[in-house]
Amino acid sequence: MSIVSNVLDRVLVLEMVRVTEAAAIACSTLIGHGDEKAADAAAVDAMRTALNSLYMDGTVVIGEGERDEAPMLYIGEKVGSAIGKGPKIDIALDPLEGTTICATAGPNSLAVLAIAEEGGLLNAPDVYMDKIAVGPGYPDNIIDLDKSPTENVRAVAAAKGVEPSKIMCCVLNRPRHEKLIAELRSLGCGVMLIGDGDVAGVIATTNPETTIDIYMGSGGAPEGVLAAAALRCVGGQFKGRLLFRNDDERARAAKWGVTDLDKQYDLTELAKGDCIFAATGVTDGSLLAGVKRKKGVMTTESVVMRASSGTVRWVKGEHRI
């Protein structure tokens, strides 16, 4: 095991929860206030402050955007209190995953973070990604983006020993998914539409209580890397392919070292080696309860997972106001 992994063991595993807790608490005061930018800014500022208190030489590889688009936690930003001398850590983050959800007090808004050894996380450009995911327990490569939605659903149904009508698919509710939704419903399977929060949607495939069997559709590539890091820790399969709408996005991909624009990425190509995933609920959702205030105390619910050990810790916190 590398020196970095030992440091992840000893210092950073539970510290990641403190980072996501700080972001969730900061933006929770703006739940339902209709101001997405203010909520996101509060989460970003709190997460950056918490990251800078940790002994590490961290680099944001998935962040709020490129430097000219994001004043803080931009791609390439250095964070940590030991830059140049601490362990080198790659960081993927979304301080407020589901900004619209938070602004409208909807379900499944999260503060999310993943870390890995240097070079462990795909430095994905801020473009769309076609995604498909299932939870653990299936034969290898049961899902494939080169297959149709119908073929993928039938493969999962056959592996479960059920008819396609018994399969529940989670899809972002977007106009671009109209054909996908129509195909799934013509097959007879259930479709759970979510407004935002596809990281939580992907992770939901690992929890039988959500009844979600498979996740399909396109969403942000940064969220795809975060979701892949979570599945690395708890099991499951994920495939992703970057989607480019114009030459500007293709140039952005080249800037971050992406040369094969049609590549289908597997789970371990998006998040390899030892990695840690942490999330804290902002609003109530299928994965975590949201931040609550009562009698001078704020309560949080978080999860932290580690790939190399397969450990999942559920953390409930009480924070004096």
Side-chain angles (χ1 to χ4, degrees):
M1 185 177 290
S2 73
I3 293 174
V4 175
S5 291
N6 287 332
V7 171
L8 295 186
D9 261 337
R10 183 163 41 87
V11 178
L12 294 178
V13 176
L14 290 178
E15 290 291 351
M16 291 305 102
V17 173
R18 295 187 178 94
V19 174
T20 55
E21 282 178 341
I25 289 170
C27 64
S28 68
T29 58
L30 293 160
I31 292 172
H33 285 226
D35 193 336
E36 298 178 17
K37 290 184 178 180
D40 190 52
V44 169
D45 185 53
M47 182 171 280
R48 186 172 188 256
T49 299
L51 286 169
N52 280 329
S53 71
L54 302 180
Y55 185 86
M56 65 177 181
D57 181 353
T59 302
V60 177
V61 298
I62 297 288
E64 289 289 283
E66 297 179 31
R67 186 169 188 168
D68 58 348
E69 300 171 345
M72 294 191 299
L73 293 179
Y74 54 83
I75 299 170
E77 182 173 349
K78 302 292 289 185
V79 293
S81 65
I83 295 172
K85 57 183 178 179
K88 293 184 180 298
I89 305 294
D90 279 358
I91 304 167
L93 52 84
D94 194 341
L96 180 54
E97 210 262 325
T99 53
T100 302
I101 294 172
C102 178
T104 58
N108 284 321
S109 184
L110 303 169
V112 184
L113 176 70
I115 65 171
E117 301 178 42
E118 187 178 27
L121 300 173
L122 179 71
N123 201 335
D126 190 11
V127 298
Y128 280 112
M129 176 185 281
D130 195 14
K131 310 171 190 178
I132 186 169
V134 292
Y138 292 103
D140 291 343
N141 296 312
I142 194 169
I143 52 174
D144 190 331
L145 289 173
D146 291 329
K147 295 179 180 178
S148 69
T150 295
E151 290 173 314
N152 281 304
V153 168
R154 284 178 173 163
V156 171
K160 290 190 70 173
V162 300
E163 294 297 319
S165 60
K166 301 298 183 183
I167 297 299
M168 179 65 73
C169 183
C170 182
V171 180
L172 272 175
N173 190 8
R174 296 289 188 273
R176 64 179 180 269
H177 290 149
E178 286 180 0
K179 290 183 179 179
L180 169 61
I181 294 166
E183 181 175 345
L184 292 171
R185 286 183 170 153
S186 70
L187 188 60
C189 68
V191 179
M192 181 179 293
L193 297 176
I194 57 174
D196 278 295
D198 60 346
V199 173
V202 170
I203 297 173
T205 64
T206 68
N207 182 359
E209 292 184 5
T210 67
T211 73
I212 295 171
D213 299 293
I214 186 168
Y215 179 93
M216 288 188 190
S218 61
E223 289 83 356
V225 175
L226 283 161
L231 291 192
R232 276 290 323 284
C233 299
V234 296
Q237 298 179 44
F238 184 100
K239 305 285 186 181
R241 177 181 284 130
L242 299 175
L243 301 174
F244 304 99
R245 295 171 294 182
N246 51 52
D247 289 340
D248 178 64
E249 291 189 350
R250 282 183 277 272
R252 187 180 300 175
K255 176 181 177 181
W256 297 111
V258 177
T259 56
D260 185 353
L261 301 185
D262 297 316
K263 180 178 177 60
Q264 180 175 190
Y265 292 92
D266 201 357
L267 187 65
T268 54
E269 293 174 305
L270 295 167
K272 62 186 177 181
D274 195 12
C275 59
I276 295 165
F277 173 89
T280 299
V282 177
T283 60
D284 288 342
S286 58
L287 181 66
L288 295 163
V291 179
K292 303 288 192 305
R293 286 177 172 76
K294 53 184 179 181
K295 297 181 180 179
V297 173
M298 300 178 73
T299 61
T300 56
E301 187 173 89
S302 307
V303 62
V304 58
M305 316 169 180
R306 185 169 179 225
S308 63
S309 62
T311 304
V312 178
R313 292 182 173 91
W314 300 92
V315 182
K316 292 187 177 183
E318 290 189 358
H319 314 265
R320 293 184 182 277
I321 297 175

